[in-house]
Structure formats: structure tokens, C-alpha cells
Amino acid sequence: MVTLDTRTLTVPVGIVRMLEVVLTCISFSLVASVGHIDSSYWAWCMFTWVFCCFVTLLILIMEFTTLHARVPISWDDFTTAFAMLSTLMVLAASIIYPTFFTCASCGKQIAATVTSCLAFILYATEVGLTRAKPGEISGFLSTVPGLLKVLEAFVACIIFISLDHGLYSLFPGLQWCVAVYSLCFIFALIIILFTICRLLSLFPFSFDKVLTGYNVLAVLMYMTCVVIWPLYSFQNIHSRPSWCGRTCYWDNQVVVAFMTCFNLVVYIVDTVYSFRLVFFVTPA
């Protein structure tokens, strides 16, 4: 029997989520009313607003009807990971959309950007409200290493939407970089899904040690990409071509190079944190 829990809509997290649904809905509605644009960045922004709006609304309904208690997943891990992912996705959309698709006289586009920025603030607030506090018993994705895993997967998504198949298909070195991005993304996604679905007990070894080993390997592979990607992407083209328009393939390569460096830093932080937890923190 389904019971209704009205308290979930009156607590701070519930109010924040309702506002998130409204603002993301307004954002994609305004952009959709302007018309379709054939661009991976436009598709990313639209997907972000629709995805975040739909899943946030689903979370509200599940908690309002108490159906989340019957779902065989770690609900706290799921909602925390989703809040973190949504924060990053909406932030990216709030930067990408005005950069490429707005102008001084574009009223609807500017309004969509404003509502998207407000939605980002709300999702960031939700992360602060749901993240595990020191000493608090919570799931892996509510902790710093878990949130770093979400960040790593998100940065990989930004890299994917910026890739130019016509470029990386010409050079084996760039193909290696794409393979690294893909493998690390897949493993991060597997860790997130195993955590949410409570399948970590299936690991035949210590999960913390497996995670530490994976982080070390990811750091080493990303270090090669930090060198190889700009070496091949910008050979003979050391500055932005003068004939490039507002959307330029050179800009995409810069985004990939920057995000590669950024993800390397995230993986290094994750590795240091994992080493600290595994080898330097003694269990109570």
C-alpha cells in the first residue's frame, strides 16, 4: 500500500528539489521554443535540463509516496550522486549555452541562461544538504571519494561531446587518448552503479584496495594523455585560426586538452585520498 509523506515536500531538501524542477523545466522550454540547433553542445544543454528535471521530479514522487523504501538500491547514495552530477551538468550548461548560443538581443536565450544558473545554485545547495558529514555513517557516494568518482565521470562526458572524430581517427596517439577516456569513464561508471545497486560485496578483494589500484592506473594513463593530446592536436596549428567562427574545431581541442589536465588533477586527489584511507587511517 502506498502512503503519502507530505513532510518530504516541506523539509529544505524537498523545497530545493521542487524549485529545481521548475527552473530546469523553464530552461529547456525556453530553449526549445527558439528552435533546434545542430550542435553537440546544444544537444548537451537540452539533455542536461530535461534529464535533471525528469529525475528530480521522479525523486520527489518516490519520496512523497514512500516508494523509494521498496527500491533495491542505496537511495541515499543515488540521490547524493545525482545531486552532484546535476550540479556539474547544469553548471556546464550554464556556461556552454550563453557562450555559443546567446546574443545581446536574444531575450529567451538570456532568460534560459539565468534560470539555468539559478538551478545550478539550487543543485549545489542540495549537495551541501545531503553530503555525508565527518563521522556520519553513510554510503560511499556521499563521501569525498564517491563525489570525486562522479566528478571524474562528468569530466569524461564533457570530453566526449568535444571530440572531433575527423581528427582523432587520423592519429593512433589520439586514439589511445580516446581509449583512456573511455576506459576510465566505464570503470568510474561501474563503481558508481555497483555502489548504488549495493553490489560491492561481489568484489573478491577489498574494495578500498581495488579502488586505490584503479586510481593509480588512471593517473598513469591520464598523464600520457596530457602529453599526447596537445602534441598531436595542435601540431602546425599553435593558435586559433583567424577564419574560425563562433564554433570552431580548434576550440573543441582546447576544451579536451584542458579537461584532460583537470581530470588528471581529480584522479591525483582521489588517489591521495584513497591511499590515506587505506594505509594511514586505522579502523576504530
Side-chain angles (χ1 to χ4, degrees):
M1 180 178 178
V2 176
T3 58
L4 302 181
D5 184 5
T6 57
R7 190 181 65 86
T8 60
L9 301 180
T10 58
V11 295
V13 174
I15 296 172
V16 167
R17 286 172 178 162
M18 287 190 289
L19 293 174
E20 291 165 356
V21 171
V22 173
L23 290 173
T24 51
C25 181
I26 292 173
S27 294
F28 77 72
S29 299
L30 287 171
V31 174
S33 67
V34 175
H36 176 266
I37 297 175
D38 187 15
S39 166
S40 61
Y41 289 126
W42 184 90
W44 166 264
C45 294
M46 284 296 287
F47 170 77
T48 293
W49 295 318
V50 173
F51 172 75
C52 293
C53 178
F54 174 78
V55 179
T56 304
L57 181 60
L58 179 63
I59 290 173
L60 279 171
I61 293 173
M62 294 288 285
E63 293 196 341
F64 178 65
T65 58
T66 65
L67 289 176
H68 69 283
R70 305 180 186 180
V71 179
I73 65 173
S74 175
W75 186 254
D76 289 339
D77 267 326
F78 169 70
T79 54
T80 302
F82 171 74
M84 176 65 173
L85 180 62
S86 297
T87 301
L88 298 170
M89 291 177 66
V90 175
L91 173 61
S94 301
I95 296 172
I96 291 172
Y97 188 77
T99 300
F100 293 105
F101 308 112
T102 62
C103 60
S105 59
C106 301
K108 290 184 178 180
Q109 290 91 329
I110 293 174
T113 301
V114 171
T115 55
S116 183
C117 290
L118 292 175
F120 157 69
I121 294 173
L122 289 171
Y123 277 112
T125 302
E126 184 182 347
V127 171
L129 292 172
T130 58
R131 191 177 73 83
K133 307 300 185 296
E136 186 176 82
I137 299 176
S138 186
F140 171 72
L141 294 179
S142 300
T143 62
V144 172
L147 295 178
L148 287 173
K149 277 286 162 282
V150 177
L151 178 57
E152 291 158 4
F154 164 77
V155 173
C157 289
I158 297 297
I159 290 174
F160 292 145
I161 67 171
S162 303
L163 289 174
D164 183 352
H165 178 268
L167 175 66
Y168 73 76
S169 62
L170 300 176
F171 303 102
L174 297 185
Q175 292 171 20
W176 159 257
C177 293
V178 174
V180 170
Y181 303 144
S182 302
L183 286 172
C184 292
F185 171 75
I186 290 171
F187 277 105
L189 193 60
I190 289 174
I191 291 171
I192 293 171
L193 291 177
F194 267 57
T195 302
I196 292 174
C197 297
R198 297 174 177 172
L199 299 175
L200 295 181
S201 59
L202 298 179
F203 278 89
F205 309 104
S206 168
F207 172 70
D208 291 336
K209 292 182 179 179
V210 170
L211 194 60
T212 302
Y214 157 73
N215 287 337
V216 171
L217 182 60
V219 167
L220 295 175
M221 291 194 297
Y222 259 89
M223 287 176 68
T224 65
C225 294
V226 167
V227 176
I228 293 174
W229 184 268
L231 181 65
Y232 283 96
S233 295
F234 304 115
Q235 59 178 345
N236 303 323
I237 307 176
H238 304 298
S239 60
R240 195 176 193 271
S242 58
W243 46 263
C244 259
R246 195 170 187 182
T247 57
C248 178
Y249 78 95
W250 194 86
D251 297 335
N252 293 344
Q253 308 319 312
V254 172
V255 170
V256 174
F258 174 78
M259 287 300 176
T260 300
C261 296
F262 183 82
N263 227 12
L264 172 61
V265 173
V266 176
Y267 273 108
I268 291 174
V269 173
D270 197 1
T271 302
V272 172
Y273 208 99
S274 298
F275 265 99
R276 178 176 172 272
L277 290 178
V278 173
F279 299 106
F280 298 102
V281 177
T282 56

